[in-house]
Amino acid sequence: MIRPERRARILEHLVDGLIRATFWGLVILTLSIVAYFVIRGAGQLDWEFLAAMPRNRGIEGGIFPAILGTVLLTAGTALVALPLGVMAAVYLTEYAPGGRAVRLINLAIVNLAGVPSVVYGLFGLAVFVLLLGLGSSLGAASLTLGLLTLPVVVTATREALLTVPRAYREAAFALGASRRQVVLTHVLPYCRSGIMAGALLGLSRAMGETAPILVTGVAVVLPRLPTGFGSRFMALPYHLYISATQIPGMPAERIWATALTLLAMVLALNLLAGILGND
Amino acid sequence: MPEVEPVLSIRDLNLRFGDTRVLFDIDLDVTAGGVTAIIGPSGSGKSTLLRCLNRMVDLVPVARVEGEILFGGKDILDSDYDVVELRQKVGMVFQKPNPFPRSIYDNVAYGPRIRGKVARGRLDDIVEQALRSAALWDEVKDRLGTSAMDLSGGQQQRLCIARCLAVKPEILLMDEPCSALDPASTARIEDLITDLREDVTVLLVTHNLQQAARVSDDTIFLLGGELIESGPTDSIFTKASDTRTDDYVTGRFG
């Protein structure tokens, strides 16, 4: 017979071990995914691959237009989602009178976050590309991905704003600061890093999206660089999809190298978010 | 003795938070200069009354205020009254010290700065003057650039007082300014209040009856949102006309 206190200790060890195993399992899983990509793709990664234009439908040459396209697209997304999202969150936490309207808006934001990305793509096609006449372009795709990222930015900003103690706001108000001054000189500066961290996480997700840009401006292979928000563009996620499925004779290591490049860019953004968040 | 013109006149002040009535028909004149203590048990509406006087009560969406508060000949409850200007003339010190997580200098300079550009030399003078008035200058003059969060609790509270003084208020509202402080820091703040009464009218909410007796000239006793009695501190503490006041100041309840 096992004494009860002994049994409790065994159970304690068991749960402890399970939690540790889960943690290390996740770490190993993540590392092996990255490692696998590195093993399969690193051989192909050289200066030419990263910096040259594609030749022969991408079978030769480099993926520079896709890298640049993804960078520009992410920047365009940030340009749309950041100001709108931060301002919406500031309105909701600092200005809105509260009550039913705010709860309704919150509900809408939560639901917006759950809309499948392909639906955003169709919305972008209908509204930005066709209705507003932007055409298939970097601008239309940026707006579409901006909308997709908006709920993430709003939620992250709201959470960051709520971490600023009420006492700071009260002190500033009591000194005669206007609401605008309280927000600009107190609330926002104190939670800047939290907002940036949340926003970067949202952007890193947008960076890897394929469906929303598929119908709003991305090109299969484009042997020239985008010249502005009106241009069509290449992007890594879509280029990856096309290379892997639509182009016969595409060397496998080129596909892996493309995937590795995208992965590295997303991880870099996440890492930046982590660093800022720990500020 | 000639009748002194009151700096604040409160007339028929009623306040509700939603369905809960918090203040009932408050009528009160506050004389200019000197220290007025507001005493009463928890929940008697002391802090709420104080927060009407600089309209901080506006920040509570469910608050409904009725009545008149005359200050400088105008009703500050009037929706046209400029709240920003009011809060410059009526400063507030809170229960817990709440300096901004910035440098000592920036804390004191905050009030003047949000009112527009001030020349650096002039701002230095204002900051020094305010810190001197708050009896903090000698302790911090060599580290004005360090974070206010590194100061002790008592120093932080004196910094908050200096921050108010930097905009030259006529009235200083103090909402239990010593309740989070140790006895030594409390004594320093009380000395400071005694010094300040020369230049500014102080309204002091306090739970500490000895403190009210030590520093105030007049005392107001609130109970359940009603003003029970007001008058010179001596008479409130020794010969109150209402038995409830007497019971409270002698420690029979509260």
Side-chain angles (χ1 to χ4, degrees), chain B residues 196-232:
Chain B
L196 286 176
R197 50 194 290 202
E198 309 273 313
D199 307 307
V200 54
T201 307
V202 177
L203 270 98
L204 172 73
V205 164
T206 180
H207 257 125
N208 181 335
L209 293 171
Q210 283 81 25
Q211 182 172 68
R214 277 193 299 265
V215 302
S216 71
D217 304 293
D218 294 307
T219 295
I220 297 164
F221 175 55
L222 289 187
L223 182 64
E226 286 180 80
L227 194 155
I228 304 299
E229 194 168 355
S230 69

Side-chain angles (χ1 to χ4, degrees), chain A residues 237-252:
Chain A
Y238 186 62
H239 181 64
L240 189 60
Y241 165 71
I242 290 295
S243 309
T245 59
Q246 308 289 312
I247 300 179
M250 176 67 84

Side-chain angles (χ1 to χ4, degrees), chain A residues 111-141:
Chain A
N111 279 305
L112 213 55
V115 172
S117 61
V118 65
V119 176
Y120 277 100
L122 285 175
F123 177 81
L125 173 65
V127 175
F128 301 131
V129 176
L130 301 175
L131 190 67
L132 296 181
L134 295 177
S136 272
S137 62
L138 188 56

Side-chain angles (χ1 to χ4, degrees), chain B residues 137-179:
Chain B
W137 174 253
D138 290 331
E139 292 158 62
V140 301
K141 63 180 177 207
D142 300 322
R143 48 175 176 142
L144 293 175
T146 59
S147 170
M149 303 317 245
D150 297 338
L151 298 174
S152 73
Q155 288 174 323
Q156 288 189 4
Q157 194 61 302
R158 276 181 282 146
L159 178 67
C160 293
I161 294 171
R163 190 171 62 185
C164 289
L165 295 176
V167 293
K168 302 251 179 295
E170 293 171 34
I171 299 177
L172 194 57
L173 309 173
M174 303 181 101
D175 189 358
E176 295 186 48
C178 303
S179 63

Side-chain angles (χ1 to χ4, degrees), chain A residues 5 36 45 59 81 102 112 119 124 130 136 146 148 197 211 216 266:
Chain A
E5 57 264 44
Y36 189 71
L45 269 186
I59 293 171
V102 168
L112 213 55
V119 176
L130 301 175
S136 272
L148 180 109
T216 53
V266 170

Side-chain angles (χ1 to χ4, degrees), chain A residues 97 166-179 181-182 185-186 189-190, chain B residues 51 54 56 59 61 84 87 90 92 94 98-102 110 114-115 149 163-164:
Chain A
R166 217 170 70 111
Y168 295 162
R169 295 186 176 84
E170 280 197 328
F173 276 124
L175 284 165
S178 66
R179 201 168 280 277
Q181 285 169 327
V182 170
T185 65
H186 279 282
Y190 299 151
Chain B
R51 281 163 184 259
N54 62 349
M56 282 297 276
L59 299 184
V84 168
R87 289 178 186 159
V90 183
M92 184 169 229
F94 295 81
N98 56 357
F100 303 129
R102 301 184 178 184
Y110 183 76
I114 56 172
R115 297 201 157 67
M149 303 317 245
R163 190 171 62 185
C164 289

